[in-house]
């Protein structure tokens, strides 16, 4: 009887399904946005929170509004705009609460209770404000038990949503997507259940009329709302997915960079160890000894002539007597074993504060600091001589050796640290001339070598004007094809009386006496002129020249190179400038402008003697070089030393990662050639390819190379 007092209501099945689809999709997007809001950076989090709240709130509201548009009471219905707008804002507020709580680290009971209650209030406000948009006369009669049931469903759905936010946080990959889809269905049905339970609580009396009949209504409007909501949610989901993919790429890149950094660090440590350590004996090498010598001398010099400045620095230069016959009689392996044993005895003889190093061959040096450095050095020399008298077992035989030792003291014998070693070497020469097996302290009369160097540098001053300098050229070839990649210009000095003087002799002289600038300019001009002459002969090639550290400190160097290229009408790419790793790293900041200007010309830069310096590999990416040249010392023991192969492999990988060509110099055997090709080196140079030759011999060599390739 009571039911006859109210209108019979029903829902459009199509719109019910559409509303549930929107609810499920909105739930799926909500779960995805919760992850984005949580992981976003602080500056972006507020934008994700705002955009996510609008997108998610609109999706939930669209489900509710479409469901109401599908409500049919048998009388025309319409929804007033004001309450409808308020219901939309309530949905956005509920979504904002949900996404804000998703940023918490933990879902505590109080957070769960407060958050689910706030969300339930927002959802119920959305629903019942939307129902209030129906301006009915007489008004709706509510079934309060059903109303309370809808409120309970809203609260439970909110609590479940929050739990799902936190539960899915720990899931990844395909499993998370499957669980997220299942959770979205559950949440969507829960939201739909709340809505339709709330709708079932509304009873319309017989004779009810709707004063807002001209408001929002109709299936076309429902279609527009569904479409707009789905597009908005889809846009939010696409943005979320793109953000997740970008973060995944960043994480992968970060992992790759971390692994690369670890590999580079390991390779750098290996290279530094090799750069400062003698491979045969494990002692410090010349570079490390010179570094320690200069630091010790500078430390003593800083104290000045004060009563407390009592420390002195003693340097001992050791050379084995009669080592060559051991190599000749027993072989190089036996000779290496003798050197290792000598190194071991030296380490046992010296104090922990002293330094001992191997310069090369059978030459060793030691350094002591003491109040009376000369006496301490002589005493140490005597202990070394005594230790050397103990027989060494070589190839099953006991062999006795002796050594000659020279001593020089800083600052007594020399106040310039780099020359102190030369003073000790001169004293060693005197010990040799005295018959060996003894120690000699430096005296001024032993400075004949210094006088000889003065004469040599005086002759070198006129070498350019007299036409005594010349360039030899050593080819570089592509490692795989064997085709010529270019040539390196190597400086030579043809002295009128001494013949060809080694660059190892006259280049340090030129640097020491300030002649390297003029000689370096001659090399630039002559190399460019020779390139032009070859071009006239139809030979197209690239030539590399070496730049000294002194040239790099000259701000006019780029202008000089540009002028030479213009004068001889050459393309900048045909010229390669090789700079040693040490020179490039020692004054990287000061010389960076010069290097950048040279690179800007189009001239290629190459890092020469790589592996002999002491720089961090991290600097490589800041250098405008496109070529890396591995020092010959790494190539020599490549086929016999697994560590050398590992280091080379790391260096090649590093260079290629930085888009640099790798040149290996000092290739002398077919086994080295094969190993370098296998390791990925791009360009090879060495006696196996060709020895340095005068410029006039280059065309014939190229023709012979072509003929050999054609014949094969």
């Amino acid at each position: 009887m009571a039911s006859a007092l109210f209108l019979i209501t029903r829902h459009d099945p199509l719109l019910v399904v559409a509303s549930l689809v929107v609810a499920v999709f909105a739930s799926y997007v909500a779960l995805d946005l919760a992850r984005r809001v949580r992981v976003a950076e602080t500056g972006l989090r507020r934008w994700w929170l705002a955009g996510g709240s609008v997108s998610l709130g609109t999706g939930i509201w669209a489900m509710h509004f479409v469901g109401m548009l599908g409500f049919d009471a048998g009388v025309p219905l319409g929804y007033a705009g004001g309450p409808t707008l308020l219901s939309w804002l309530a949905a956005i507020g509920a979504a904002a609460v949900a996404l804000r709580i998703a940023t918490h680290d933990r879902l505590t009971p109080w957070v769960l209770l407060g958050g689910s209650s706030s969300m339930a209030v927002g959802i119920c406000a959305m629903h019942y404000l939307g129902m209030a948009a129906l301006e009915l006369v007489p008004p709706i009669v509510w079934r309060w038990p059903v109303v309370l049931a809808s409120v309970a469903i809203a609260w439970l759905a909110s609590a479940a949503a929050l739990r799902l936010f936190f539960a899915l946080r720990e899931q990844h990959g395909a499993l998370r997507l499957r669980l997220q889809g299942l959770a979205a269905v559950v949440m969507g049905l829960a939201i739909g259940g709340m809505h339709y339970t709330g709708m079932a609580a509304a009873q319309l009396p017989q004779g009810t009329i709707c004063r807002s009949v001209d408001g929002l209504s109709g299936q076309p409007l429902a279609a527009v709302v569904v479409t707009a909501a789905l597009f908005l949610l889809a846009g939010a989901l696409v943005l979320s997915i793109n953000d997740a993919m970008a973060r995944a790429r960043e994480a992968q890149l970060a992992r790759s960079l971390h692994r690369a950094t670890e590999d580079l660090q390991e390779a750098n440590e290996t290279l530094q160890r090799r750069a400062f350590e003698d491979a045969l004996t494990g002692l410090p090498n010349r570079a490390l000894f010179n570094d320690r010598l200069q630091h010790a001398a500078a430390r003593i010099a800083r104290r000045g002539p004060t009563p407390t400045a009592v420390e002195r620095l003693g340097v001992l230069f050791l050379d084995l007597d009669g080592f060559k016959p051991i190599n000749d009689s027993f072989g190089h392996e036996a000779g290496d074993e003798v050197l290792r044993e000598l190194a071991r005895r030296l380490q046992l003889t010296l104090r922990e504060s002293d330094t001992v190093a191997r310069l090369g061959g059978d030459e060793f040096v030691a350094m002591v600091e003491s109040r009376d450095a000369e006496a301490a050095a002589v005493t140490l020399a005597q202990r070394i001589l005594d230790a050397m008298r103990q027989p060494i077992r070589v190839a099953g035989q006991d062999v006795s050796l002796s050594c000659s030792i020279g001593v020089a003291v800083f600052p007594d014998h020399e106040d310039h640290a780099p020359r102190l070693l030369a003073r000790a070497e001169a004293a060693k020469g005197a010990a040799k001339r005295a018959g060996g097996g003894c120690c000699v302290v430096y005296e001024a009369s032993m400075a004949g070598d210094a006088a000889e160097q003065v004469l040599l540098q005086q002759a070198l001053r006129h070498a350019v004007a007299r036409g005594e300098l010349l360039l030899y050229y050593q080819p570089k070839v592509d490692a795989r094809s064997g085709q010529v990649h270019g040539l390196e210009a190597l400086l030579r000095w043809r002295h009128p009386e001494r013949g060809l003087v080694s660059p190892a002799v006259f280049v340090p002289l030129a640097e020491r006496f300030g002649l390297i600038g003029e000689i370096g300019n001659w090399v630039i001009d002559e190399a460019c002129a020779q390139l032009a002459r070859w071009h006239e002969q139809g030979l197209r090639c690239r030539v590399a020249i070496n730049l000294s550290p002194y040239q790099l400190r000259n701000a006019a160097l780029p202008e000089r190179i540009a002028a030479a290229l213009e004068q001889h009408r050459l393309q900048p790419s045909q010229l390669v400038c090789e700079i040693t790793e040490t020179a490039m790293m020692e004054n990287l900041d000061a010389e960076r402008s010069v290097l950048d200007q040279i690179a800007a010309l189009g001239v290629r830069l190459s890092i020469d003697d790589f592996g002999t310096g002491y720089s961090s590999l991290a600097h490589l990416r800041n250098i405008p070089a496109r070529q890396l040249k591995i020092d010959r010392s790494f190539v020599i023991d490549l086929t016999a030393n697994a560590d050398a192969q590992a280091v080379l492999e790391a260096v090649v990988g590093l260079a290629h990662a930085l888009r640099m060509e790798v040149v290996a110099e000092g290739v002398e055997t077919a086994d080295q050639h094969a190993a370098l090709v296998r390791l990925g080196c791009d360009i090879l140079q060495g006696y196996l390819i060709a020895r340095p030759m005068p410029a006039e011999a280059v065309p014939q060599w190229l023709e012979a190379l072509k003929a050999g390739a054609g014949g094969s």
Side-chain angles (χ1 to χ4, degrees), residues 6 127-128 131-132 139-145 147 198-203:
F6 300 100
H127 177 77
Y128 289 106
M131 293 297 291
I140 296 173
V141 177
W142 296 100
R143 293 192 290 176
W144 292 106
V147 170
M199 295 293 290
Q203 299 180 103

Side-chain angles (χ1 to χ4, degrees), residues 315-378:
V315 171
L316 295 81
F317 198 111
L318 294 78
D319 190 358
L320 283 178
D321 300 326
F323 178 70
K324 187 175 184 299
I326 293 179
N327 262 340
D328 295 341
S329 302
F330 300 103
H332 289 287
E333 290 186 5
D336 290 346
E337 186 57 40
V338 169
L339 294 175
R340 281 191 288 266
E341 175 60 21
L342 174 58
R344 188 187 67 83
R345 294 185 183 185
L346 287 173
Q347 287 177 308
L348 292 175
T349 303
L350 271 66
R351 304 169 302 180
E352 289 187 5
S353 59
D354 300 333
T355 297
V356 61
R358 180 184 177 223
L359 298 183
D362 59 345
E363 294 180 338
F364 295 80
V365 285
M367 180 176 66
V368 297
E369 293 183 62
S370 175
R371 294 176 182 272
D372 188 350
E374 182 174 328
V378 171

Side-chain angles (χ1 to χ4, degrees), residues 314-319 321 373-375 377-382 385 403-409 413 420-447:
V315 171
L316 295 81
F317 198 111
L318 294 78
D319 190 358
D321 300 326
E374 182 174 328
V378 171
T379 301
L380 174 60
Q382 190 57 53
L385 292 171
C403 64
S404 300
I405 304 176
V407 173
V409 177
H413 300 143
L420 186 64
L421 194 60
R423 298 285 189 253
E425 185 175 10
K428 181 268 300 180
K432 282 279 189 185
R433 290 190 291 273
C438 63
C439 167
V440 173
V441 179
Y442 175 80
E443 295 178 358
S445 60
M446 300 174 186

Side-chain angles (χ1 to χ4, degrees), residues 675-700:
L676 290 167
V677 171
R678 186 175 66 255
L679 290 172
C681 286
D682 305 295
I683 303 164
L684 304 180
Q685 178 182 1
Y687 286 176
L688 181 67
I689 312 301
R691 291 178 176 270
M693 62 189 76
E696 57 270 19
V698 170
Q700 292 91 333

Side-chain angles (χ1 to χ4, degrees), residues 36 79 203 238 374 411 602 616 618 622 645 675:
R36 300 278 68 76
Y79 295 86
Q203 299 180 103
V238 169
E374 182 174 328
S616 168
N622 296 321
Q645 294 187 29

Side-chain angles (χ1 to χ4, degrees), residues 290 293-294 297 410 414-423 512:
N290 286 338
L293 175 62
Q294 292 188 34
F410 175 90
E414 176 57 63
D415 60 1
H416 185 55
R419 290 199 291 265
L420 186 64
L421 194 60
R423 298 285 189 253
R512 187 181 309 161

Side-chain angles (χ1 to χ4, degrees), residues 57 76 116 175 248 272 306 505 550 555 572 590 606:
S116 59
L175 176 60
Q272 290 219 19
T306 65
V505 173
Y550 296 88
S606 175

Side-chain angles (χ1 to χ4, degrees), residues 472-477 488 490 492 500 502-503 629 632 635-636 664-670 672-673 676 684-693 701 705:
Y472 273 39
Y473 296 87
Q474 186 174 29
K476 306 175 186 176
V477 300
E488 181 179 2
L490 301 170
R492 297 289 186 265
L500 282 178
S502 169
K629 195 171 184 181
R632 67 179 67 246
V635 177
I636 290 173
E665 63 177 347
V667 184
E668 299 183 358
T669 68
Q672 292 172 349
H673 183 288
L676 290 167
L684 304 180
Q685 178 182 1
Y687 286 176
L688 181 67
I689 312 301
R691 291 178 176 270
M693 62 189 76
W701 184 86
L705 181 68

